[in-house]
Amino acid sequence: MADSDSSKQSPQLNRSAQQSDYEKKKRLFFKEIRCMMYGFGDDPNPYTESAELIEELVIDFITDLSHRALQIGRPGRVQVEDIVYLIQKDARKYARMRDLLTMNEELKKARRAFDEAKF
């Protein structure tokens, strides 16, 4: 009888653990998304539900892309080349990614030059 009671409580505890995990994940990009929404013309304080929906879509996209990158690249490792391979079919995303990677390299070079000049 005690075993059946513990099995009845286990799903409840499991649900609460899943719900707390969801709450932690739920606000990963919330503040940034609200700022981006405002930057793209939304209200300075957009609806919470709208920001949560966009955040859920972003997290799903990143998760899906990461899983696909794990399948095509080295086992257990995601590399930039894997992401480039997956995104190259979408011209807009590919162009934006290429711009961001170029900008990142330029920033690295500028930091190195600044650090070398400092010493």
Side-chain angles (χ1 to χ4, degrees):
M1 194 187 226
D3 291 334
S4 64
D5 288 342
S6 66
S7 66
K8 289 180 185 176
Q9 290 178 355
S10 179
Q12 290 174 344
L13 293 174
N14 196 14
R15 271 189 234 128
S16 65
Q18 288 175 346
Q19 190 174 16
S20 68
D21 287 344
Y22 174 73
E23 291 296 322
K24 288 178 188 174
K25 290 179 184 178
K26 189 174 167 181
R27 300 290 177 138
L28 286 175
F29 306 112
F30 189 75
K31 192 166 40 170
E32 292 83 0
I33 287 173
R34 288 174 59 118
C35 290
M36 289 175 69
M37 289 173 70
Y38 177 61
F40 282 104
D42 203 338
D43 191 67
N45 294 311
Y47 287 129
T48 303
E49 294 85 6
S50 299
E52 287 175 351
L53 176 64
I54 292 172
E55 182 178 36
E56 184 179 333
L57 293 171
V58 167
I59 290 172
D60 288 346
F61 174 77
I62 292 171
T63 303
D64 180 53
L65 189 67
S66 300
H67 285 292
R68 290 189 309 164
L70 275 172
Q71 291 173 351
I72 64 166
R74 286 189 193 172
R77 184 176 232 181
V78 175
Q79 294 183 330
V80 175
E81 293 81 19
D82 303 332
I83 304 293
V84 170
Y85 176 76
L86 290 171
I87 291 185
Q88 70 185 356
K89 296 171 187 165
D90 187 334
R92 290 181 69 188
K93 289 177 188 169
Y94 183 73
R96 179 68 174 148
M97 181 186 57
R98 195 177 58 230
D99 290 343
L100 290 172
L101 289 173
T102 302
M103 191 181 312
N104 188 37
E105 287 300 316
E106 290 174 4
L107 287 171
K108 282 182 185 179
K109 288 178 185 176
R111 283 188 197 115
R112 271 189 245 127
F114 182 75
D115 289 341
E116 289 173 3
K118 195 175 180 180
F119 294 111

